[in-house]
Structures are given as C-alpha cells and as structure tokens.
Amino acid sequence: MANKALVLLAVLFCAQAVLGVTIISKSEWGGRSAKSKSTLASKLSYAVIHHTAGNYCSTKAACITQLKNIQAYHMDSLGWADIGYNFLIGGDGNVYEGRGWNVMGAHATNWNSKSIGISFLGNYNTDKITSAQITAAKGLLSDAVSRGQIVSGYILYGHRQVGSTECPGTNIWNEIKTWSNWKA
C-alpha cells in the first residue's frame, strides 16, 4: 500500500511539472462571478507585476480572506467588473485565479489590453517575497507562454514602470529586476 501511495505521489508530482503550476480557481476560493468580461488577446508582449499593498497571508485560509476583501473593494468600492488582476500569488505559495486567462484585467491604466497582470498578496515594501512565491510566479509566466497568452520573448515590467506608483513594492521590484524577461 505504501508503494502505491509513493507511485501516486510521483505521478502527481510529474504531472504538476508537465502541466505547470496549480491554480486555485475563483470558484474554489469562493470568488464572485464577474459583472462583465472583455476578451484579452493572445500573443501579448507584456506581463505586469503588482502587489496588493494590503495584508500578507501565509495560509490558504488567510489568502482566501484577502482575495475576497480585494474583490469586494474592486467591485463594490471602485465599481469594477471583477477583481482587477488576472492572477494573484499568496505567501502560501499558491497561485489564485483572478480574472484568469483570456480576460482583460483592470490592473494598469493603458496596459490592460496588452498585458496580463499578476499580483502578490501583501505589501512588499515591508513583506519579503519567498522562494515558493518566486517559483509560482515563474511557473505561471511559463504557463502563460505555453498557452500562447504571452509570447516567449515577452517583456516583464513592474507596475511602477507603467504607472505612477511604488507598486510592486521594493522587495518584489529588486527580485524581478533579476528575471530574464525584465526590461528597464
């Protein structure tokens, strides 16, 4: 029985490596349906990295609470159709679906139609990015290329490069500047 369990774990691990990063769906985290959706083109040239500038979360339960708070703020206070980002990454190392694939986000004025928006849950002027979050983000970007959402030679920007903001926070900013697709 233990051997079967080990084989199953090995198969799941390999499937994860082949299929890419696991994404916690919006329905799984209890997100509300979008009021409306606009299609996001394929073969985009840009990905924009953000932080939520709110509370950090290190467990799935805590991250789900943050996701629901952010979605409520974006939809109820700002009047947006949905949570602004395509995907969000928690301190627990999980990737959470925001608007998801092929749906235009509301994350960077004048850049929403030509980029995917990925946000880290927390305030990374003070919070530290973890190796699990870095792995998740790089896996998500790799998946975006494999799916054809962004081109393989995409340009990675921090939000501060396309808008007047501190986002994605100094600690993420210092990290993403070392990634191969980041451009000054």
Side-chain angles (χ1 to χ4, degrees), residues 128-151:
K128 305 288 188 234
I129 189 170
T130 67
S131 59
Q133 288 176 296
I134 293 166
T135 299
K138 289 181 175 181
L140 182 61
L141 289 163
S142 179
D143 278 4
V145 170
S146 297
R147 292 170 167 273
Q149 185 79 77
I150 55 178
V151 296

Side-chain angles (χ1 to χ4, degrees), residues 156-168:
L156 181 71
Y157 284 139
H159 187 197
R160 63 178 64 180
Q161 292 175 275
V162 300
S164 181
T165 177
E166 289 186 341
C167 184

Side-chain angles (χ1 to χ4, degrees), residues 96-145:
Y96 296 90
E97 179 184 36
R99 293 192 183 201
W101 301 116
N102 306 310
V103 179
M104 189 183 313
H107 58 89
T109 304
N110 298 322
W111 289 82
N112 296 319
S113 64
K114 54 189 173 185
S115 66
I116 59 168
I118 301 169
S119 189
F120 290 82
L121 293 161
N123 184 330
Y124 291 85
N125 284 318
T126 53
D127 296 324
K128 305 288 188 234
I129 189 170
T130 67
S131 59
Q133 288 176 296
I134 293 166
T135 299
K138 289 181 175 181
L140 182 61
L141 289 163
S142 179
D143 278 4
V145 170

